[in-house]
Amino acid sequence: MVSMFDTNPILKYAKRILMKNKLIFLLVVVLSWSSLNAQKIPITTKSKEALTFYKKGWQHEDRLNLDEAEKMYSRAVSMDSTFALAYLRLAMVKDNYEVRRTQLKQAVKYIDQVTEGEKLWIKGRVDFYASGYDGSKEYGYFKKLAKLHPNDEMANYLFAFVNLHHGKKDTELAIHHFKKAIKLNPNFSKPYNELAYAYLENKDYDNAKRTVRNYIALLPNAVNPLDTYAEIFMRSGEYKKSIKNYKKVLKIDSQFPWALIGITANMNFLGKHKKGRLFLERLNESGLSDYEYRHKWRAQVTSYLDEGDLDGAINVLEAQKQESTSGRNKREPIFHIYFAHLRKTRLYFENNQVVEGLKEYEQWNTYVQSNSKNESTKKRVQNLELYYLAYQAYLEKDWKLATSLLTKYETINGKIDDRSRVLKARILVRQDKLTDALIELRKIDLTNSYNQYWLAFILFKNGEHLEAKKWLDTILSTNERNDIDLALVRRKTKELITKI
């Protein structure tokens, strides 16, 4: 283990004195670690050289040089095969989720040898992926981590991150901890980017832009800060300025995927869908990570949906699925197949194509039961049969059967999720129970554009036109990149708002 005695010159001198009495030295090491834990998350390793490479890896990672970061973290674990935190960082610079899980398992293997702060960090990340991306446990771990190490920039960053993305969506708490992380270490670049997105969640565009300008000043030659800046303009509805800034990104890296996807999104909002999709054709697929490749497909689906062409979106999803089932996709085909089935099933039902929807669901469920290693995922998809049968009964106007099947779905699922409440509300509307329908919809996530639309629709049906218009205006002022829920309802929103 490399302790703070090896990095602090005063403590180095103390160490030479204390080595005369090993018992006293060990006692001081323990006390010093305890004192240090209150300030910074310790880094436990048996090798001084491994620690050096770890720090170099972190510097590269924070400067967005992920390939170099991976090399440094790999050197670190080659010098100390028990270096748990290095395995964690190596996992997080990998975009291949199977490889990521393998490295996380290595971190867990040596978790009993590290300090409490390191354990919380590792457990938070491991549980997020092991749970099928459920952030509830991760939230608890990172909350404890921030409390244990209140003056550590990474502890504050992680707790802020989970609040923004995986936890309770508490943007104010996220903003507080991102700002604290920056104050603790102004050269730590990650919080600047995420702080900008936290401001975006609050539609505070001025603070978002100011934060990213600081991010650009910190990393003047990097594309990600410029890309975020362009996205802020898109989100604020300044589409032409957004495209202009995305083109600045492309001057640095003509193949930067998020810039090309971002321009496509802006073109969607400008009503130039076909022209927007041409930018996706410029992407060199061989240079994309799997995550980027998935979003390239998703960008095509979103573009067709926003254009009102459900058949076009379904055709894209079928092509995505076929590429992976045929073996042509050498990345992570399981994700592509899973999401293609999921989205095709949903779009068929959205398009009132019950037979096709149920057939697609059956293929999806069969695939998951045969190929997934995650029991919670297998159970979740299997349970959806009752939901889709309820949806079928709804489309066939059998309200009693639809309600009964939906109740069974909620019971076997163990909770009432948003998809269930939306369908229940739609059933209630058909039964002229508008007040009951509104009660259901006020319980769901109303930051979601799809949910907002159905609330607005029922408010309109109930004669509450002013409140309905408020929600419809919210949808039309939302400019999310690659948001399938938004794309599904934007045209409907424009049609409905003309009736108010």
Side-chain angles (χ1 to χ4, degrees):
M1 177 186 289
V2 175
S3 78
M4 67 186 206
F5 284 89
D6 297 308
T7 57
N8 187 306
I10 296 173
L11 291 175
K12 279 184 179 181
Y13 175 72
K15 177 178 177 179
R16 288 198 295 271
I17 296 172
L18 289 167
M19 280 304 291
K20 294 178 180 178
N21 187 326
K22 290 184 180 179
L23 180 60
I24 295 175
F25 173 64
L26 290 172
L27 178 60
V28 173
V29 170
V30 173
L31 291 174
S32 297
W33 271 119
S34 299
S35 174
L36 181 63
N37 282 349
Q39 301 297 320
K40 300 288 184 180
I41 303 172
I43 304 171
T44 303
T45 176
K46 297 175 181 177
S47 165
K48 203 172 185 178
E49 290 78 12
L51 180 62
T52 298
F53 281 111
Y54 174 90
K55 289 179 176 178
K56 286 180 179 179
W58 171 244
Q59 288 170 356
H60 282 299
E61 182 182 344
D62 194 45
R63 272 10 186 203
L64 308 176
N65 303 319
L66 299 188
D67 290 340
E68 290 302 312
E70 181 182 343
K71 291 175 186 176
M72 295 299 103
Y73 291 138
S74 296
R75 292 287 299 274
V77 297
S78 72
M79 293 182 169
D80 178 2
S81 61
T82 68
F83 197 165
L85 216 54
Y87 283 118
L88 172 69
R89 298 311 316 155
L90 188 55
M92 298 315 298
V93 297
K94 297 281 192 178
D95 94 292
N96 182 298
Y97 285 177
E98 288 303 316
V99 175
R100 180 174 289 181
R101 287 189 179 96
T102 300
Q103 297 297 341
L104 288 174
K105 283 180 183 178
Q106 287 294 99
V108 172
K109 186 176 179 180
Y110 302 107
I111 201 168
D112 290 336
Q113 300 180 26
V114 302
T115 61
E116 183 62 20
E118 292 168 286
K119 285 179 183 178
L120 291 168
W121 189 355
I122 293 167
K123 285 179 178 179
R125 295 277 67 198
V126 168
D127 277 2
F128 176 70
Y129 291 102
S131 64
Y133 316 115
D134 177 0
S136 55
K137 286 187 177 179
E138 181 190 40
Y139 181 91
Y141 286 129
F142 289 165
K143 184 177 181 180
K144 288 180 183 177
L145 181 62
K147 187 175 181 180
L148 183 63
H149 296 288
N151 295 317
D152 185 279
E153 61 268 31
M154 179 57 79
N156 280 279
Y157 169 78
L158 290 170
F159 185 49
F161 186 91
V162 77
N163 267 285
L164 181 62
H165 296 291
H166 302 161
K168 300 177 181 178
K169 297 291 184 181
D170 188 336
T171 53
E172 292 304 323
L173 192 58
I175 287 168
H176 170 77
H177 283 278
F178 283 134
K179 289 172 75 173
K180 187 174 178 182
I182 291 169
K183 186 176 180 180
L184 287 164
N185 184 356
N187 292 319
F188 182 22
S189 78
K190 287 179 180 287
Y192 290 92
N193 193 53
E194 299 302 333
L195 177 58
Y197 280 105
Y199 282 130
L200 276 180
E201 288 295 311
N202 291 348
K203 296 192 175 182
D204 184 349
Y205 303 117
D206 288 340
N207 269 322
K209 290 173 185 175
R210 177 184 55 77
T211 300
V212 176
R213 284 194 288 268
N214 290 334
Y215 185 31
I216 292 169
L218 192 63
L219 302 178
N221 299 315
V223 292
N224 194 63
L226 290 171
D227 178 76
T228 301
Y229 199 48
E231 186 175 349
I232 293 169
F233 283 110
M234 181 189 73
R235 296 273 288 271
S236 65
E238 299 170 88
Y239 307 126
K240 291 180 180 178
K241 284 186 180 179
S242 177
I243 292 170
K244 181 180 178 181
N245 279 279
Y246 276 128
K247 287 182 176 179
K248 288 181 182 179
V249 175
L250 295 176
K251 286 181 180 178
I252 300 172
D253 181 354
S254 63
Q255 280 293 304
F256 191 67
W258 301 109
L260 292 165
I261 290 169
I263 291 175
T264 301
N266 277 288
M267 291 296 184
N268 291 341
F269 297 129
L270 289 167
K272 301 177 181 179
H273 301 88
K274 291 181 177 64
K275 186 175 180 180
R277 290 193 289 272
L278 292 175
F279 284 88
L280 298 177
E281 294 178 9
R282 290 168 54 179
L283 279 168
N284 179 3
E285 294 181 356
S286 65
L288 299 179
S289 70
D290 186 73
Y291 182 73
E292 292 163 346
Y293 193 48
R294 272 180 265 157
H295 271 273
K296 180 249 186 184
W297 285 102
R298 184 167 171 165
Q300 291 183 65
V301 171
T302 304
S303 179
Y304 279 110
L305 289 177
D306 193 75
E307 194 175 10
D309 186 354
L310 262 70
D311 289 337
I314 288 170
N315 289 338
V316 170
L317 290 168
E318 181 60 25
Q320 180 184 15
K321 182 174 66 176
Q322 290 300 325
E323 185 187 62
S324 289
T325 54
S326 68
R328 294 194 303 276
N329 180 2
K330 304 297 183 183
R331 293 173 174 84
E332 295 181 72
I334 187 169
F335 285 97
H336 293 266
I337 296 168
Y338 180 94
F339 284 108
H341 276 307
L342 180 156
R343 289 170 182 147
K344 275 191 72 182
T345 301
R346 182 183 182 187
L347 294 187
Y348 277 131
F349 276 94
E350 289 282 343
N351 211 27
N352 299 341
Q353 294 175 261
V354 174
V355 174
E356 294 87 344
L358 287 175
K359 182 180 178 182
E360 192 70 37
Y361 164 73
E362 288 166 6
Q363 292 175 2
W364 175 28
N365 187 36
T366 299
Y367 178 79
V368 169
Q369 303 310 321
S370 301
N371 294 278
S372 178
K373 297 175 184 177
N374 191 308
E375 292 302 319
S376 64
T377 299
K378 291 163 76 170
K379 186 175 184 296
R380 184 171 64 252
V381 175
Q382 191 168 31
N383 291 347
L384 281 170
E385 180 180 16
L386 285 167
Y387 168 79
Y388 285 114
L389 289 173
Y391 206 141
Q392 178 188 24
Y394 161 75
L395 292 175
E396 294 174 352
K397 302 182 181 180
D398 190 338
W399 320 129
K400 185 177 179 180
L401 178 59
T403 301
S404 173
L405 289 166
L406 204 53
T407 301
K408 288 179 181 178
Y409 166 70
E410 292 167 352
T411 300
I412 196 171
N413 202 37
K415 63 179 181 180
I416 306 175
D417 55 30
D418 281 2
R419 69 163 65 87
S420 178
R421 288 196 190 279
V422 170
L423 182 54
K424 185 183 289 186
R426 292 170 70 179
I427 294 167
L428 289 166
V429 168
R430 292 299 188 94
Q431 296 173 302
D432 293 323
K433 298 178 181 178
L434 296 176
T435 301
D436 291 338
L438 288 171
I439 289 171
E440 287 297 327
L441 288 185
R442 292 192 189 281
K443 296 175 183 176
I444 63 178
D445 174 17
L446 289 174
T447 63
N448 176 281
S449 297
Y450 186 84
N451 295 346
Q452 290 169 352
Y453 172 79
W454 284 107
L455 176 60
F457 176 83
I458 297 170
L459 285 166
F460 174 78
K461 294 276 286 186
N462 202 40
E464 299 177 59
H465 291 183
L466 285 178
E467 190 177 354
K469 186 176 184 301
K470 181 191 78 172
W471 288 107
L472 295 173
D473 286 338
T474 299
I475 295 167
L476 294 178
S477 66
T478 300
N479 302 298
E480 296 280 355
R481 180 171 64 184
N482 276 8
D483 188 331
I484 288 175
D485 283 337
L486 174 63
L488 273 168
V489 297
R490 265 195 3 118
R491 291 177 70 85
K492 292 180 181 179
T493 299
K494 289 178 180 179
E495 291 169 7
L496 184 56
I497 206 167
T498 62
K499 299 175 182 178
I500 296 176

